[in-house]
mmCIF file of all heavy atoms in Angstrom:
data_model
loop_
_atom_site.group_PDB
_atom_site.id
_atom_site.type_symbol
_atom_site.label_atom_id
_atom_site.label_comp_id
_atom_site.label_asym_id
_atom_site.label_seq_id
_atom_site.Cartn_x
_atom_site.Cartn_y
_atom_site.Cartn_z
ATOM 1 N N LYS A 1 -13.474 49.631 -36.507
ATOM 2 C CA LYS A 1 -13.598 48.498 -37.398
ATOM 3 C C LYS A 1 -13.420 48.957 -38.845
ATOM 4 O O LYS A 1 -13.915 50.011 -39.242
ATOM 5 C CB LYS A 1 -14.999 47.831 -37.232
ATOM 6 C CG LYS A 1 -15.258 47.314 -35.839
ATOM 7 C CD LYS A 1 -16.607 46.600 -35.746
ATOM 8 C CE LYS A 1 -16.847 46.078 -34.336
ATOM 9 N NZ LYS A 1 -18.134 45.327 -34.268
ATOM 10 N N PHE A 2 -12.676 48.155 -39.624
ATOM 11 C CA PHE A 2 -12.322 48.572 -40.980
ATOM 12 C C PHE A 2 -12.474 47.428 -41.943
ATOM 13 O O PHE A 2 -12.628 46.279 -41.538
ATOM 14 C CB PHE A 2 -10.880 49.088 -40.989
ATOM 15 C CG PHE A 2 -10.613 50.177 -39.976
ATOM 16 C CD1 PHE A 2 -10.096 49.850 -38.722
ATOM 17 C CD2 PHE A 2 -10.931 51.492 -40.236
ATOM 18 C CE1 PHE A 2 -9.890 50.828 -37.756
ATOM 19 C CE2 PHE A 2 -10.699 52.476 -39.270
ATOM 20 C CZ PHE A 2 -10.184 52.140 -38.038
ATOM 21 N N PHE A 3 -12.392 47.745 -43.252
ATOM 22 C CA PHE A 3 -12.498 46.751 -44.294
ATOM 23 C C PHE A 3 -13.742 45.881 -44.114
ATOM 24 O O PHE A 3 -13.674 44.679 -43.941
ATOM 25 C CB PHE A 3 -11.223 45.879 -44.357
ATOM 26 C CG PHE A 3 -9.968 46.679 -44.521
ATOM 27 C CD1 PHE A 3 -9.013 46.712 -43.531
ATOM 28 C CD2 PHE A 3 -9.757 47.413 -45.692
ATOM 29 C CE1 PHE A 3 -7.843 47.443 -43.705
ATOM 30 C CE2 PHE A 3 -8.590 48.187 -45.837
ATOM 31 C CZ PHE A 3 -7.654 48.201 -44.843
ATOM 32 N N GLN A 4 -14.889 46.559 -44.178
ATOM 33 C CA GLN A 4 -16.214 45.922 -44.042
ATOM 34 C C GLN A 4 -16.261 45.141 -42.721
ATOM 35 O O GLN A 4 -16.814 44.032 -42.656
ATOM 36 C CB GLN A 4 -16.531 45.037 -45.223
ATOM 37 C CG GLN A 4 -16.683 45.853 -46.507
ATOM 38 C CD GLN A 4 -17.180 45.018 -47.669
ATOM 39 O OE1 GLN A 4 -17.057 43.804 -47.684
ATOM 40 N NE2 GLN A 4 -17.738 45.688 -48.647
ATOM 41 N N GLN A 5 -15.663 45.698 -41.683
ATOM 42 C CA GLN A 5 -15.670 45.156 -40.303
ATOM 43 C C GLN A 5 -14.972 43.831 -40.185
ATOM 44 O O GLN A 5 -15.079 43.141 -39.149
ATOM 45 C CB GLN A 5 -17.121 45.045 -39.810
ATOM 46 C CG GLN A 5 -17.864 46.372 -39.785
ATOM 47 C CD GLN A 5 -19.184 46.297 -39.049
ATOM 48 O OE1 GLN A 5 -19.453 45.372 -38.316
ATOM 49 N NE2 GLN A 5 -19.974 47.344 -39.235
ATOM 50 N N ARG A 6 -14.146 43.476 -41.156
ATOM 51 C CA ARG A 6 -13.342 42.253 -41.043
ATOM 52 C C ARG A 6 -12.100 42.444 -40.185
ATOM 53 O O ARG A 6 -11.543 41.487 -39.657
ATOM 54 C CB ARG A 6 -12.943 41.743 -42.407
ATOM 55 C CG ARG A 6 -14.097 41.255 -43.263
ATOM 56 C CD ARG A 6 -13.622 40.650 -44.585
ATOM 57 N NE ARG A 6 -12.826 39.445 -44.313
ATOM 58 C CZ ARG A 6 -12.178 38.795 -45.298
ATOM 59 N NH1 ARG A 6 -12.229 39.218 -46.542
ATOM 60 N NH2 ARG A 6 -11.472 37.730 -44.995
ATOM 61 N N ALA A 7 -11.688 43.694 -39.995
ATOM 62 C CA ALA A 7 -10.547 43.992 -39.120
ATOM 63 C C ALA A 7 -11.026 44.893 -37.995
ATOM 64 O O ALA A 7 -11.677 45.922 -38.241
ATOM 65 C CB ALA A 7 -9.460 44.711 -39.947
ATOM 66 N N GLU A 8 -10.761 44.482 -36.751
ATOM 67 C CA GLU A 8 -11.187 45.237 -35.552
ATOM 68 C C GLU A 8 -9.970 45.501 -34.678
ATOM 69 O O GLU A 8 -9.106 44.607 -34.543
ATOM 70 C CB GLU A 8 -12.203 44.478 -34.746
ATOM 71 C CG GLU A 8 -13.446 44.058 -35.537
ATOM 72 C CD GLU A 8 -14.330 43.112 -34.740
ATOM 73 O OE1 GLU A 8 -14.503 43.367 -33.538
ATOM 74 O OE2 GLU A 8 -14.829 42.137 -35.318
ATOM 75 N N PHE A 9 -9.921 46.660 -34.078
ATOM 76 C CA PHE A 9 -8.764 47.033 -33.259
ATOM 77 C C PHE A 9 -9.262 47.585 -31.920
ATOM 78 O O PHE A 9 -10.158 48.438 -31.875
ATOM 79 C CB PHE A 9 -7.912 48.063 -33.994
ATOM 80 C CG PHE A 9 -7.499 47.634 -35.357
ATOM 81 C CD1 PHE A 9 -8.224 48.039 -36.476
ATOM 82 C CD2 PHE A 9 -6.412 46.812 -35.534
ATOM 83 C CE1 PHE A 9 -7.891 47.617 -37.739
ATOM 84 C CE2 PHE A 9 -6.068 46.385 -36.778
ATOM 85 C CZ PHE A 9 -6.776 46.797 -37.898
ATOM 86 N N TYR A 10 -8.667 47.095 -30.845
ATOM 87 C CA TYR A 10 -9.034 47.523 -29.481
ATOM 88 C C TYR A 10 -7.756 48.012 -28.791
ATOM 89 O O TYR A 10 -6.697 47.393 -28.902
ATOM 90 C CB TYR A 10 -9.585 46.342 -28.682
ATOM 91 C CG TYR A 10 -10.856 45.768 -29.270
ATOM 92 C CD1 TYR A 10 -10.823 44.859 -30.374
ATOM 93 C CD2 TYR A 10 -12.113 46.088 -28.760
ATOM 94 C CE1 TYR A 10 -11.959 44.341 -30.896
ATOM 95 C CE2 TYR A 10 -13.275 45.567 -29.310
ATOM 96 C CZ TYR A 10 -13.193 44.705 -30.400
ATOM 97 O OH TYR A 10 -14.356 44.171 -30.915
ATOM 98 N N ILE A 11 -7.883 49.130 -28.094
ATOM 99 C CA ILE A 11 -6.750 49.709 -27.343
ATOM 100 C C ILE A 11 -7.122 49.815 -25.872
ATOM 101 O O ILE A 11 -8.121 50.469 -25.535
ATOM 102 C CB ILE A 11 -6.363 51.070 -27.904
ATOM 103 C CG1 ILE A 11 -5.910 50.947 -29.364
ATOM 104 C CG2 ILE A 11 -5.197 51.652 -27.065
ATOM 105 C CD1 ILE A 11 -5.546 52.262 -30.022
ATOM 106 N N ILE A 12 -6.368 49.165 -25.025
ATOM 107 C CA ILE A 12 -6.584 49.178 -23.582
ATOM 108 C C ILE A 12 -5.504 50.001 -22.937
ATOM 109 O O ILE A 12 -4.331 49.612 -22.940
ATOM 110 C CB ILE A 12 -6.580 47.742 -22.994
ATOM 111 C CG1 ILE A 12 -7.593 46.891 -23.732
ATOM 112 C CG2 ILE A 12 -6.875 47.765 -21.503
ATOM 113 C CD1 ILE A 12 -7.458 45.404 -23.460
ATOM 114 N N GLU A 13 -5.860 51.191 -22.436
ATOM 115 C CA GLU A 13 -4.905 52.058 -21.819
ATOM 116 C C GLU A 13 -4.741 51.709 -20.339
ATOM 117 O O GLU A 13 -5.697 51.344 -19.649
ATOM 118 C CB GLU A 13 -5.352 53.519 -21.933
ATOM 119 C CG GLU A 13 -5.493 54.002 -23.360
ATOM 120 C CD GLU A 13 -4.162 54.261 -24.041
ATOM 121 O OE1 GLU A 13 -3.139 54.147 -23.374
ATOM 122 O OE2 GLU A 13 -4.203 54.584 -25.233
ATOM 123 N N ASN A 14 -3.514 51.818 -19.824
ATOM 124 C CA ASN A 14 -3.202 51.587 -18.404
ATOM 125 C C ASN A 14 -3.739 50.239 -17.899
ATOM 126 O O ASN A 14 -4.417 50.223 -16.891
ATOM 127 C CB ASN A 14 -3.744 52.736 -17.537
ATOM 128 C CG ASN A 14 -3.147 54.065 -17.919
ATOM 129 O OD1 ASN A 14 -1.965 54.161 -18.221
ATOM 130 N ND2 ASN A 14 -3.973 55.091 -17.907
ATOM 131 N N PRO A 15 -3.425 49.148 -18.578
ATOM 132 C CA PRO A 15 -3.870 47.862 -18.072
ATOM 133 C C PRO A 15 -3.092 47.521 -16.786
ATOM 134 O O PRO A 15 -1.955 47.936 -16.622
ATOM 135 C CB PRO A 15 -3.509 46.890 -19.190
ATOM 136 C CG PRO A 15 -2.350 47.540 -19.862
ATOM 137 C CD PRO A 15 -2.611 49.023 -19.809
ATOM 138 N N ASN A 16 -3.704 46.773 -15.935
ATOM 139 C CA ASN A 16 -3.044 46.397 -14.665
ATOM 140 C C ASN A 16 -2.178 45.162 -14.903
ATOM 141 O O ASN A 16 -2.452 44.071 -14.396
ATOM 142 C CB ASN A 16 -4.120 46.119 -13.622
ATOM 143 C CG ASN A 16 -3.548 46.023 -12.216
ATOM 144 O OD1 ASN A 16 -2.462 46.555 -11.962
ATOM 145 N ND2 ASN A 16 -4.230 45.349 -11.322
ATOM 146 N N LYS A 17 -1.127 45.348 -15.723
ATOM 147 C CA LYS A 17 -0.286 44.238 -16.112
ATOM 148 C C LYS A 17 1.199 44.644 -16.086
ATOM 149 O O LYS A 17 1.557 45.812 -16.184
ATOM 150 C CB LYS A 17 -0.598 43.832 -17.584
ATOM 151 C CG LYS A 17 -2.004 43.309 -17.782
ATOM 152 C CD LYS A 17 -2.192 41.934 -17.157
ATOM 153 C CE LYS A 17 -3.583 41.424 -17.321
ATOM 154 N NZ LYS A 17 -3.788 40.141 -16.650
ATOM 155 N N THR A 18 2.032 43.595 -15.937
ATOM 156 C CA THR A 18 3.472 43.794 -16.140
ATOM 157 C C THR A 18 3.972 42.653 -17.004
ATOM 158 O O THR A 18 3.356 41.579 -17.083
ATOM 159 C CB THR A 18 4.254 43.773 -14.812
ATOM 160 O OG1 THR A 18 4.113 42.501 -14.187
ATOM 161 C CG2 THR A 18 3.764 44.864 -13.872
ATOM 162 N N ILE A 19 5.084 42.882 -17.702
ATOM 163 C CA ILE A 19 5.820 41.824 -18.431
ATOM 164 C C ILE A 19 7.219 41.849 -17.915
ATOM 165 O O ILE A 19 7.892 42.908 -17.950
ATOM 166 C CB ILE A 19 5.750 42.017 -19.960
ATOM 167 C CG1 ILE A 19 4.288 41.946 -20.424
ATOM 168 C CG2 ILE A 19 6.610 41.001 -20.653
ATOM 169 C CD1 ILE A 19 4.167 42.117 -21.933
ATOM 170 N N TYR A 20 7.696 40.716 -17.414
ATOM 171 C CA TYR A 20 8.997 40.643 -16.774
ATOM 172 C C TYR A 20 9.145 41.759 -15.719
ATOM 173 O O TYR A 20 10.172 42.425 -15.645
ATOM 174 C CB TYR A 20 10.118 40.718 -17.822
ATOM 175 C CG TYR A 20 10.156 39.517 -18.737
ATOM 176 C CD1 TYR A 20 9.766 39.639 -20.060
ATOM 177 C CD2 TYR A 20 10.593 38.278 -18.288
ATOM 178 C CE1 TYR A 20 9.803 38.567 -20.937
ATOM 179 C CE2 TYR A 20 10.594 37.201 -19.151
ATOM 180 C CZ TYR A 20 10.197 37.331 -20.477
ATOM 181 O OH TYR A 20 10.242 36.261 -21.329
ATOM 182 N N ASN A 21 8.102 41.951 -14.975
ATOM 183 C CA ASN A 21 8.082 42.929 -13.862
ATOM 184 C C ASN A 21 8.127 44.371 -14.317
ATOM 185 O O ASN A 21 8.290 45.281 -13.501
ATOM 186 C CB ASN A 21 9.185 42.647 -12.865
ATOM 187 C CG ASN A 21 9.053 41.316 -12.179
ATOM 188 O OD1 ASN A 21 7.938 40.950 -11.781
ATOM 189 N ND2 ASN A 21 10.143 40.588 -12.036
ATOM 190 N N HIS A 22 7.959 44.626 -15.636
ATOM 191 C CA HIS A 22 7.947 45.999 -16.132
ATOM 192 C C HIS A 22 6.498 46.392 -16.473
ATOM 193 O O HIS A 22 5.807 45.651 -17.146
ATOM 194 C CB HIS A 22 8.838 46.142 -17.337
ATOM 195 C CG HIS A 22 10.281 45.930 -17.056
ATOM 196 N ND1 HIS A 22 10.993 46.752 -16.224
ATOM 197 C CD2 HIS A 22 11.157 45.007 -17.524
ATOM 198 C CE1 HIS A 22 12.248 46.339 -16.162
ATOM 199 N NE2 HIS A 22 12.371 45.270 -16.931
ATOM 200 N N PRO A 23 6.038 47.567 -16.038
ATOM 201 C CA PRO A 23 4.648 47.985 -16.294
ATOM 202 C C PRO A 23 4.310 48.076 -17.752
ATOM 203 O O PRO A 23 5.144 48.507 -18.595
ATOM 204 C CB PRO A 23 4.560 49.352 -15.603
ATOM 205 C CG PRO A 23 5.654 49.367 -14.611
ATOM 206 C CD PRO A 23 6.763 48.561 -15.220
ATOM 207 N N VAL A 24 3.083 47.687 -18.096
ATOM 208 C CA VAL A 24 2.538 47.835 -19.451
ATOM 209 C C VAL A 24 1.728 49.122 -19.511
ATOM 210 O O VAL A 24 0.856 49.361 -18.698
ATOM 211 C CB VAL A 24 1.637 46.608 -19.783
ATOM 212 C CG1 VAL A 24 0.983 46.828 -21.155
ATOM 213 C CG2 VAL A 24 2.434 45.322 -19.754
ATOM 214 N N LYS A 25 2.058 49.980 -20.484
ATOM 215 C CA LYS A 25 1.338 51.246 -20.630
ATOM 216 C C LYS A 25 0.047 51.088 -21.407
ATOM 217 O O LYS A 25 -0.941 51.760 -21.102
ATOM 218 C CB LYS A 25 2.261 52.247 -21.342
ATOM 219 C CG LYS A 25 3.511 52.584 -20.542
ATOM 220 C CD LYS A 25 4.565 53.296 -21.372
ATOM 221 C CE LYS A 25 4.119 54.641 -21.851
ATOM 222 N NZ LYS A 25 5.196 55.345 -22.583
ATOM 223 N N SER A 26 0.073 50.254 -22.428
ATOM 224 C CA SER A 26 -1.150 50.043 -23.213
ATOM 225 C C SER A 26 -1.049 48.696 -23.953
ATOM 226 O O SER A 26 0.078 48.197 -24.163
ATOM 227 C CB SER A 26 -1.403 51.168 -24.214
ATOM 228 O OG SER A 26 -0.451 51.146 -25.247
ATOM 229 N N ILE A 27 -2.215 48.165 -24.328
ATOM 230 C CA ILE A 27 -2.291 46.929 -25.108
ATOM 231 C C ILE A 27 -3.169 47.205 -26.324
ATOM 232 O O ILE A 27 -4.275 47.714 -26.154
ATOM 233 C CB ILE A 27 -2.840 45.750 -24.318
ATOM 234 C CG1 ILE A 27 -2.073 45.548 -23.009
ATOM 235 C CG2 ILE A 27 -2.830 44.468 -25.143
ATOM 236 C CD1 ILE A 27 -2.717 44.499 -22.090
ATOM 237 N N THR A 28 -2.709 46.861 -27.496
ATOM 238 C CA THR A 28 -3.507 46.952 -28.723
ATOM 239 C C THR A 28 -3.792 45.541 -29.208
ATOM 240 O O THR A 28 -2.883 44.735 -29.364
ATOM 241 C CB THR A 28 -2.797 47.754 -29.827
ATOM 242 O OG1 THR A 28 -2.465 49.063 -29.316
ATOM 243 C CG2 THR A 28 -3.721 47.917 -31.028
ATOM 244 N N LEU A 29 -5.084 45.242 -29.424
ATOM 245 C CA LEU A 29 -5.510 43.938 -29.869
ATOM 246 C C LEU A 29 -5.994 44.046 -31.327
ATOM 247 O O LEU A 29 -6.788 44.917 -31.656
ATOM 248 C CB LEU A 29 -6.643 43.387 -29.010
ATOM 249 C CG LEU A 29 -6.352 43.336 -27.513
ATOM 250 C CD1 LEU A 29 -7.592 42.835 -26.744
ATOM 251 C CD2 LEU A 29 -5.153 42.439 -27.202
ATOM 252 N N TYR A 30 -5.530 43.135 -32.179
ATOM 253 C CA TYR A 30 -5.849 43.162 -33.616
ATOM 254 C C TYR A 30 -6.666 41.918 -33.923
ATOM 255 O O TYR A 30 -6.155 40.797 -33.824
ATOM 256 C CB TYR A 30 -4.583 43.144 -34.445
ATOM 257 C CG TYR A 30 -3.618 44.278 -34.170
ATOM 258 C CD1 TYR A 30 -2.830 44.298 -33.008
ATOM 259 C CD2 TYR A 30 -3.449 45.325 -35.097
ATOM 260 C CE1 TYR A 30 -1.922 45.333 -32.774
ATOM 261 C CE2 TYR A 30 -2.560 46.337 -34.845
ATOM 262 C CZ TYR A 30 -1.801 46.354 -33.716
ATOM 263 O OH TYR A 30 -0.909 47.373 -33.468
ATOM 264 N N PHE A 31 -7.923 42.090 -34.285
ATOM 265 C CA PHE A 31 -8.790 40.982 -34.654
ATOM 266 C C PHE A 31 -8.987 40.966 -36.157
ATOM 267 O O PHE A 31 -9.258 42.010 -36.755
ATOM 268 C CB PHE A 31 -10.186 41.145 -33.978
ATOM 269 C CG PHE A 31 -10.224 40.770 -32.547
ATOM 270 C CD1 PHE A 31 -9.809 41.658 -31.560
ATOM 271 C CD2 PHE A 31 -10.687 39.524 -32.159
ATOM 272 C CE1 PHE A 31 -9.860 41.319 -30.219
ATOM 273 C CE2 PHE A 31 -10.757 39.161 -30.822
ATOM 274 C CZ PHE A 31 -10.322 40.058 -29.868
ATOM 275 N N LEU A 32 -8.842 39.797 -36.777
ATOM 276 C CA LEU A 32 -9.166 39.633 -38.185
ATOM 277 C C LEU A 32 -10.236 38.549 -38.288
ATOM 278 O O LEU A 32 -10.041 37.421 -37.783
ATOM 279 C CB LEU A 32 -7.909 39.197 -38.974
ATOM 280 C CG LEU A 32 -6.752 40.169 -38.990
ATOM 281 C CD1 LEU A 32 -5.601 39.620 -39.828
ATOM 282 C CD2 LEU A 32 -7.170 41.549 -39.494
ATOM 283 N N ASP A 33 -11.353 38.892 -38.900
ATOM 284 C CA ASP A 33 -12.505 37.964 -39.018
ATOM 285 C C ASP A 33 -12.860 37.321 -37.672
ATOM 286 O O ASP A 33 -13.127 36.124 -37.578
ATOM 287 C CB ASP A 33 -12.154 36.849 -40.052
ATOM 288 C CG ASP A 33 -12.094 37.387 -41.461
ATOM 289 O OD1 ASP A 33 -12.763 38.388 -41.765
ATOM 290 O OD2 ASP A 33 -11.342 36.825 -42.306
ATOM 291 N N GLY A 34 -12.861 38.144 -36.645
ATOM 292 C CA GLY A 34 -13.312 37.721 -35.333
ATOM 293 C C GLY A 34 -12.308 36.954 -34.510
ATOM 294 O O GLY A 34 -12.603 36.512 -33.406
ATOM 295 N N THR A 35 -11.091 36.788 -35.017
ATOM 296 C CA THR A 35 -10.050 36.033 -34.324
ATOM 297 C C THR A 35 -8.942 36.947 -33.864
ATOM 298 O O THR A 35 -8.438 37.736 -34.665
ATOM 299 C CB THR A 35 -9.475 34.915 -35.214
ATOM 300 O OG1 THR A 35 -10.520 34.019 -35.564
ATOM 301 C CG2 THR A 35 -8.374 34.159 -34.511
ATOM 302 N N LEU A 36 -8.564 36.894 -32.608
ATOM 303 C CA LEU A 36 -7.444 37.679 -32.135
ATOM 304 C C LEU A 36 -6.179 37.136 -32.819
ATOM 305 O O LEU A 36 -5.773 36.020 -32.624
ATOM 306 C CB LEU A 36 -7.292 37.556 -30.606
ATOM 307 C CG LEU A 36 -6.082 38.321 -29.997
ATOM 308 C CD1 LEU A 36 -6.183 39.799 -30.276
ATOM 309 C CD2 LEU A 36 -6.025 38.029 -28.483
ATOM 310 N N SER A 37 -5.569 37.989 -33.627
ATOM 311 C CA SER A 37 -4.424 37.563 -34.467
ATOM 312 C C SER A 37 -3.128 38.225 -34.109
ATOM 313 O O SER A 37 -2.067 37.799 -34.567
ATOM 314 C CB SER A 37 -4.787 37.834 -35.942
ATOM 315 O OG SER A 37 -5.977 37.170 -36.319
ATOM 316 N N LYS A 38 -3.190 39.322 -33.335
ATOM 317 C CA LYS A 38 -1.954 40.021 -32.996
ATOM 318 C C LYS A 38 -2.218 40.858 -31.731
ATOM 319 O O LYS A 38 -3.313 41.408 -31.545
ATOM 320 C CB LYS A 38 -1.560 40.959 -34.143
ATOM 321 C CG LYS A 38 -0.291 41.756 -33.932
ATOM 322 C CD LYS A 38 0.069 42.535 -35.207
ATOM 323 C CE LYS A 38 1.277 43.411 -35.040
ATOM 324 N NZ LYS A 38 1.618 44.134 -36.266
ATOM 325 N N THR A 39 -1.235 40.945 -30.862
ATOM 326 C CA THR A 39 -1.276 41.804 -29.711
ATOM 327 C C THR A 39 0.016 42.637 -29.632
ATOM 328 O O THR A 39 1.087 42.127 -29.950
ATOM 329 C CB THR A 39 -1.418 41.023 -28.378
ATOM 330 O OG1 THR A 39 -0.266 40.171 -28.230
ATOM 331 C CG2 THR A 39 -2.676 40.179 -28.359
ATOM 332 N N LYS A 40 -0.160 43.879 -29.235
ATOM 333 C CA LYS A 40 1.017 44.749 -29.093
ATOM 334 C C LYS A 40 0.970 45.387 -27.712
ATOM 335 O O LYS A 40 -0.008 46.051 -27.377
ATOM 336 C CB LYS A 40 1.069 45.853 -30.165
ATOM 337 C CG LYS A 40 2.303 46.734 -30.074
ATOM 338 C CD LYS A 40 2.292 47.839 -31.115
ATOM 339 C CE LYS A 40 1.289 48.893 -30.774
ATOM 340 N NZ LYS A 40 1.345 50.040 -31.714
ATOM 341 N N TYR A 41 2.011 45.186 -26.927
ATOM 342 C CA TYR A 41 2.131 45.775 -25.596
ATOM 343 C C TYR A 41 3.135 46.927 -25.658
ATOM 344 O O TYR A 41 4.275 46.755 -26.078
ATOM 345 C CB TYR A 41 2.642 44.771 -24.583
ATOM 346 C CG TYR A 41 1.783 43.547 -24.374
ATOM 347 C CD1 TYR A 41 1.759 42.504 -25.293
ATOM 348 C CD2 TYR A 41 0.975 43.434 -23.239
ATOM 349 C CE1 TYR A 41 0.970 41.377 -25.112
ATOM 350 C CE2 TYR A 41 0.189 42.319 -23.016
ATOM 351 C CZ TYR A 41 0.177 41.314 -23.974
ATOM 352 O OH TYR A 41 -0.597 40.209 -23.770
#
């Protein structure tokens, strides 16, 4: 958590997911002020 905890980042390694049938290696979730604002697969 950064910037007085207004920005939070979560990293999920080896999620049991695919996108267009291709495996996902990790997912990064970006929260700003408690709201999920960005995802990176």
Side-chain angles (χ1 to χ4, degrees):
K1 298 184 180 183
F2 307 95
F3 304 115
Q4 294 189 339
Q5 301 191 14
R6 292 185 64 186
E8 303 171 42
F9 307 95
Y10 299 80
I11 300 178
I12 305 167
E13 299 286 355
N14 300 321
N16 193 22
K17 297 289 179 183
T18 64
I19 297 181
Y20 294 108
N21 296 317
H22 295 298
V24 176
K25 296 166 64 176
S26 70
I27 306 172
T28 304
L29 306 177
Y30 304 74
F31 283 81
L32 299 181
D33 291 332
T35 298
L36 179 60
S37 302
K38 181 176 177 179
T39 61
K40 183 182 74 174
Y41 298 78

